[in-house]
């Protein structure tokens, strides 16, 4: 066996070229095309159908829960357990080491510039708005901000905090990772949602998401707010807009200290998000969320009947129709629990943003439930501060300010190293059947995988010394696989079955199928070759939504959501194609080899472990290790389609390589 770690060192960039590279669908040779053009990318349609099926099942579960208050409470308990599972393990609480670095005196309130550590050597920059003067303890409201480049200094978020302070509430607003003074990837040109997604790509293999980091920062920020002597820790609330609405939704479902919650411009239905604007950045979705059947409304259910108001914009890109569906369900939940007045909806006919009407509604909700004051709130013209005035650090970035500062990428890398120490020993002590069960579970492979398919021919191409038959492999209800079957001339007359190669290339089946290419060399050596487009490759590519340095962004995110990562779905496709090739009348089923190129490398590796009848597997330009090539390298593009969430708690790719022994060869591209 050639050592998997050292046989060849190839940069992940070469294994995963961008959409501008050879993998673009425009490179599919028209002569080798099998399927007719589709109005909608086939993989995207398949994934949306899977989402709908999961949420259809959820609707039945909700209807069943609405039979009684006890049934609602039982479902609420289950949802909270599933939510914690989706978040992944959270760290232990450590000293905040909080300090105030300056104060700004304003008319009727003051602003403190504060800093604290949500984890050791991981600083959070924040502003605390306090009514001034103070005669007694006041309610405290956490304000996680949305996707503003300047974070807490954004005009709308300053305005919300000023309004809260003028209405008798302490307001703590803090910079999220990737914004304001807390950029985690300093070499990145665009932070915010791009950074959140890249951080998510490197955190997913260790069982975390971007939301794991964001939620922990929120919980520790609430710890700080509740610790202030000016604040009554029994009267706490949370409100935020857009990304801050996301965080309000996540936090209000996990932190029982939050009495009143007011998420703005976020709550709708995931189903409508996917069918309209599509998946959002990695902090807004959880792997397996669809498999659990968890919708936005369920985060309201998780805290019911605590007071919650939803604040949408009528013309938001978050679908208002979905918001009304979510609110109607929340009303039913609160009615069954006997607290119908504890849930509310305020809509305003404007676009996405924490506009004045929503700020006023949020503050009025806080006054009602935290101060027992139902009066209407009207916002006077606020006096805004400059970004520089609100800045906490001297340098403007925590990673530049503190010599020992640790980024969230550092935490993910450290977790990968810690997992390797424990998982390697456990893996070595685990039986092969148990290993396969774990692999299949992580890949989302169904029990009793049905690989039966129908194969149709779409014509034959004659070339010098061999023919190419264009095939479509179709399993019931699955994405079709266009394939090319290369057969040496005279194979029928030889009277014996030939060795065969199953060839899967992340760039598409046509890339190495040109005259003089790698596939032709195999055929001229007397082998039958089936070159196949696994879903999302070649003809079934869905790379028109290249976002956040990931050209498979929307399909990868949808696949995570339904609990079936693209790697697992492609393993299914590969095994189905293998069954077709092995059953061919000209092929010796005991002499089938597998070649996986580029992105298809991890897929081929998993398939070879699952299917021991494969004689051998060759990987070209494949990543070597999730821990080394993904977790530690967030700026390398196109990670998401290669990720199996949580896999590093059990194994890394070298463990699979070890299972193959001398069946595995790793080599450079020819």
């Amino acid at each position: 066996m050639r050592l998997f770690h050292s046989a060849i060192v190839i940069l992940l960039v070469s294994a995963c070229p961008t959409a501008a590279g050879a993998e673009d669908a425009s490179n599919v040779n028209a002569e080798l095309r099998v399927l007719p053009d589709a109005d909608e990318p086939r993989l995207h349609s398949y994934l949306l159908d899977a989402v709908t099926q999961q949420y259809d099942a959820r609707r039945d579960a909700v209807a069943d829960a609405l039979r009684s208050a006890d049934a609602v409470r039982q479902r609420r308990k289950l949802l909270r357990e599933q939510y914690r599972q989706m978040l992944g393990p959270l760290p232990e609480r450590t000293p905040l080491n909080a300090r105030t670095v300056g104060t700004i005196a304003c008319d009727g309130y003051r602003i403190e510039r504060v800093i604290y550590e949500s984890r050791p050597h991981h600083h959070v920059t924040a502003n605390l708005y306090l009514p001034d003067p103070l005669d007694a303890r006041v309610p405290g409201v956490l304000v996680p901000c949305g996707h503003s480049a300047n974070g807490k200094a954004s005009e709308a978020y300053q305005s919300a905090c000023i309004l809260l302070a003028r209405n008798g509430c302490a307001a703590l607003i803090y910079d999220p990772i990737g914004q304001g003074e807390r950029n985690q990837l300093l070499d990145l040109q665009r932070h915010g949602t791009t950074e959140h997604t890249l951080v998510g790509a490197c955190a997913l293999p260790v069982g975390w998401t971007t939301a794991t980091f964001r939620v922990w920062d929120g919980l520790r920020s609430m710890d700080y707010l509740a610790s202030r002597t000016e604040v009554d820790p029994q009267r706490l609330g949370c409100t935020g807009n857009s990304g801050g609405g996301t965080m309000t939704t996540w936090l209000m479902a996990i932190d029982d200290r939050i009495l009143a919650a007011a998420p703005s411009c976020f709550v709708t239905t995931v189903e409508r998000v996917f069918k309209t604007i599509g998946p959002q950045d990695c902090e807004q979705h959880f792997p397996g969320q669809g498999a659990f059947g968890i919708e936005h409304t369920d985060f309201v259910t998780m805290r019911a009947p605590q007071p919650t108001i939803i604040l949408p914009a009528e013309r938001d890109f978050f679908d208002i129709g979905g918001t009304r569906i979510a609110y109607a369900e929340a009303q039913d939940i609160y009615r069954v629990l006997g607290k119908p007045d504890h849930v509310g909806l305020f809509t305003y006919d404007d676009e996405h943003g924490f506009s004045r009407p929503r700020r006023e509604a949020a503050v009025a909700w806080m006054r009602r439930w935290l101060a027992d004051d139902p009066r209407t709130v009207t916002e006077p013209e606020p006096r805004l501060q400059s970004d520089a005035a609100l800045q906490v650090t001297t340098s403007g970035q925590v990673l530049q300010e503190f010599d020992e500062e640790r980024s969230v990428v550092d935490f993910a890398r450290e977790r990968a190293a810690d997992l390797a120490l424990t998982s390697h020993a456990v893996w070595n002590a685990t039986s092969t059947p148990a290993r396969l069960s774990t692999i299949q579970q992580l890949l989302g492979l169904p029990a009793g995988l049905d690989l039966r398919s129908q194969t149709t021919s779409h014509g034959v191409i004659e070339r010098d010394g061999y023919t190419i038959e264009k095939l479509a492999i179709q399993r019931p209800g699955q994405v079709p696989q266009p394939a090319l079957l290369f057969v040496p001339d005279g194979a029928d007359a030889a009277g014996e079955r030939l060795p065969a190669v199953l060839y899967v290339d992340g760039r598409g089946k046509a890339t190495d199928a040109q005259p003089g290419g790698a596939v032709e060399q195999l055929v001229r050596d007397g082998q039958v070759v089936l070159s196949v487009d696994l879903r999302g490759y070649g003809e079934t590519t869905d790379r028109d939504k290249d976002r956040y340095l990931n050209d498979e962004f929307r399909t990868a995110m949808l696949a995570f959501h339904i609990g079936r990562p693209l790697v697992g779905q492609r393993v299914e496709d590969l095994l189905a194609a293998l069954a077709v090739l092995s059953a061919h009348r000209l092929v010796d089923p005991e002499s089938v080899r597998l070649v996986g190129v580029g992105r298809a490398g991890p897929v081929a590796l998993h398939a070879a472990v699952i299917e021991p009848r494969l004689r051998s597997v060759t990987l070209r330009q494949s990543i070597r290790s999730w821990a080394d090539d993904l977790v530690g390298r967030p700026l390398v593009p196109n990670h998401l389609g290669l990720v199996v969430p949580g896999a590093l708690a059990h194994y890394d790719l070298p463990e699979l390589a070890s299972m193959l022994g001398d069946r595995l060869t790793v080599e450079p591209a020819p």
Side-chain angles (χ1 to χ4, degrees):
M1 172 184 174
R2 303 185 186 182
L3 293 178
F4 194 65
H5 274 297
S6 59
I8 176 171
V9 178
I10 300 175
L11 289 178
L12 187 58
V13 168
S14 67
C16 306
T18 63
E23 298 191 46
D24 194 282
S26 62
N27 281 352
V28 177
N29 189 299
E31 181 189 32
L32 300 178
R33 178 174 288 277
V34 175
L35 303 174
D37 290 335
D39 294 333
E40 173 70 16
R42 292 174 173 86
L43 178 54
H44 184 240
S45 296
Y46 169 82
L47 292 169
L48 286 183
D49 287 345
V51 169
T52 298
Q53 291 171 18
Q54 289 179 333
Y55 283 130
D56 282 344
R58 175 194 175 272
R59 281 181 271 273
D60 293 338
V62 172
D64 188 57
L66 288 171
R67 294 175 303 151
S68 68
D70 283 344
V72 168
R73 294 186 188 101
Q74 290 173 6
R75 185 166 183 270
R76 181 181 63 193
K77 181 176 183 293
L78 175 62
L79 288 170
R80 295 191 74 162
E81 292 171 353
Q82 292 171 332
Y83 177 30
R84 290 302 299 263
Q85 186 175 337
M86 292 191 304
L87 269 177
L90 297 175
E92 295 182 359
R93 280 179 161 85
T94 50
L96 289 167
N97 298 323
R99 56 192 174 94
T100 299
V101 302
T103 301
I104 304 171
C106 303
D107 183 16
Y109 63 97
R110 69 178 188 268
I111 307 170
E112 292 188 10
R113 296 180 292 121
V114 300
I115 190 165
Y116 45 90
E117 297 176 55
S118 62
R119 307 185 193 211
H121 303 292
H122 186 64
H123 288 84
V124 179
T125 45
N127 296 148
L128 177 65
Y129 293 71
L130 289 166
D132 191 20
L134 271 173
D135 299 324
R137 284 190 165 190
V138 296
V141 178
L142 187 67
V143 185
C145 62
H147 293 117
S148 54
N150 57 348
K152 62 188 179 304
S154 171
E155 292 184 3
Y157 305 137
Q158 283 192 58
S159 298
C161 293
I162 292 169
L163 187 60
L164 282 162
R166 283 177 167 170
N167 280 270
C169 295
L172 179 68
I173 185 167
Y174 59 97
D175 284 328
I177 55 172
Q179 296 168 237
E181 300 177 67
R182 298 187 67 215
N183 291 339
Q184 305 290 288
L185 305 173
L186 295 181
D187 293 335
L188 191 65
Q189 292 184 348
R190 180 178 179 182
H191 298 276
T193 54
T194 298
E195 182 171 301
H196 293 165
T197 298
L198 297 180
V199 164
C202 73
L204 285 167
V206 302
W208 287 340
T209 71
T210 308
T212 310
F213 302 121
R214 295 290 317 276
V215 166
W216 186 246
D217 280 348
L219 291 173
R220 298 315 315 275
S221 295
M222 187 63 85
D223 288 345
Y224 173 73
L225 179 62
S227 75
R228 291 290 300 231
T229 57
E230 303 91 342
V231 173
D232 182 351
Q234 302 304 313
R235 294 186 292 160
L236 299 175
C238 186
T239 185
N241 179 78
S242 187
T246 305
M247 295 317 304
T248 300
T249 304
W250 297 168
L251 288 168
M252 72 187 191
I254 197 173
D255 194 335
D256 292 333
R257 296 171 296 183
I258 297 175
L259 174 62
S264 171
C265 287
F266 174 67
V267 175
T268 175
T269 69
V270 180
E271 197 170 6
R272 288 299 300 158
V273 168
F274 287 161
K275 292 181 178 179
T276 53
I277 57 177
Q280 301 302 290
D281 66 290
C282 276
E283 72 178 3
Q284 297 188 41
H285 305 289
F286 296 95
Q289 185 175 343
F292 283 133
I294 294 180
E295 262 289 5
H296 282 181
T297 325
D298 291 315
F299 293 91
V300 180
T301 299
M302 288 180 213
R303 62 180 270 102
Q306 294 280 57
T308 308
I309 189 171
I310 300 169
L311 308 173
E314 290 283 348
R315 289 178 277 121
D316 201 344
F317 46 76
F318 287 118
D319 181 64
I320 187 66
T323 305
R324 293 195 172 96
I325 292 171
Y327 176 60
E329 182 181 313
Q331 283 183 301
D332 289 340
I333 294 293
Y334 277 67
R335 174 182 51 78
V336 170
L337 293 176
K339 301 285 186 179
D341 62 328
H342 282 45
V343 66
L345 176 71
F346 173 85
T347 67
Y348 193 77
D349 188 17
D350 61 358
E351 297 179 348
H352 187 84
F354 214 176
S355 62
R356 177 174 293 179
R358 276 185 291 283
R359 297 196 296 265
E360 292 172 340
V363 175
W365 190 257
M366 297 301 155
R367 285 187 60 88
R368 174 183 173 185
W369 295 104
L370 302 182
D372 194 23
D373 185 348
R375 287 180 298 174
T376 300
V377 170
T378 302
E379 179 180 279
E381 193 65 31
R383 177 191 170 193
L384 302 178
Q385 304 292 324
S386 68
D387 290 14
L390 297 175
Q391 185 172 304
V392 177
T393 61
T394 302
S395 64
Q397 289 295 329
V398 292
L399 281 177
Q400 295 173 336
E401 189 82 0
F402 304 101
D403 291 338
E404 297 182 6
E405 186 73 2
R406 299 161 74 197
S407 72
V408 292
V409 175
D410 293 329
F411 292 127
R413 188 182 296 116
E414 290 166 11
R415 177 163 169 77
D418 290 342
L419 289 173
L421 293 176
T422 56
S423 65
H424 185 72
V426 172
W427 188 258
N428 287 340
T430 301
S431 67
T432 297
R435 290 177 180 177
L436 293 176
S437 177
T438 297
I439 292 169
Q440 291 172 357
Q441 182 178 0
L442 289 168
L443 294 181
L445 299 181
L449 183 60
D450 186 358
L451 298 177
R452 291 176 298 175
S453 62
Q454 180 178 356
T455 303
T456 56
S457 177
H458 291 260
V460 175
I461 299 170
E462 300 285 347
R463 281 190 183 169
D464 182 24
Y466 62 95
T467 60
I468 306 173
E469 185 176 10
K470 300 193 293 184
L471 302 174
I473 302 170
Q474 179 70 69
R475 284 190 296 144
Q478 298 295 319
V479 179
Q481 297 181 67
L484 302 173
L485 182 68
F486 295 74
V487 178
D489 286 350
D492 276 309
E496 60 181 23
R497 296 193 171 191
L498 301 177
V501 176
L502 179 59
Y503 201 94
V504 289
D505 189 332
R507 300 166 299 180
K509 67 183 183 317
T511 305
D512 281 345
Q514 307 304 322
V519 173
E520 182 175 283
Q521 295 177 36
L522 295 171
V523 182
R524 294 198 184 282
D525 286 340
Q527 301 174 92
V528 175
V529 179
L530 182 66
S531 182
V532 60
D533 282 337
L534 309 181
R535 64 187 67 196
Y537 296 165
E539 290 187 47
T540 61
T541 190
D542 180 31
R543 302 201 180 130
D544 61 329
K545 297 293 183 182
D546 185 357
R547 295 175 64 188
Y548 309 134
L549 302 187
N550 275 276
D551 62 8
E552 292 188 296
F553 172 78
R554 74 171 180 178
T555 52
M557 294 296 288
L558 288 170
F560 294 148
H561 181 83
I562 66 173
R564 298 178 56 218
L566 289 178
V567 172
Q569 295 187 50
R570 288 165 174 163
V571 167
E572 284 190 46
D573 288 347
L574 192 155
L575 294 175
L578 176 63
V580 169
L581 179 60
S582 298
H584 194 278
R585 59 185 175 79
L586 296 176
V587 170
D588 178 359
E590 302 300 320
S591 298
V592 178
R593 298 190 298 116
L594 174 61
V595 174
V597 181
R599 302 183 202 221
V603 179
L605 191 60
H606 281 86
V609 168
I610 292 171
E611 179 48 81
R613 290 179 297 176
L614 278 166
R615 183 175 178 181
S616 66
V617 57
T618 298
L619 304 184
R620 294 176 185 159
Q621 291 184 304
S622 175
I623 64 170
R624 300 173 297 149
S625 159
W626 287 315
D628 295 340
D629 295 328
L630 301 190
V631 175
R633 304 177 63 190
L635 292 180
V636 175
N638 305 324
H639 276 179
L640 288 171
L642 305 174
V643 168
V644 176
L648 288 178
H650 305 276
Y651 66 92
D652 197 354
L653 299 181
E655 276 71 53
L656 300 187
S658 296
M659 291 179 67
L660 294 177
D662 58 9
R663 292 171 59 208
L664 174 66
T665 300
V666 180
E667 62 181 36

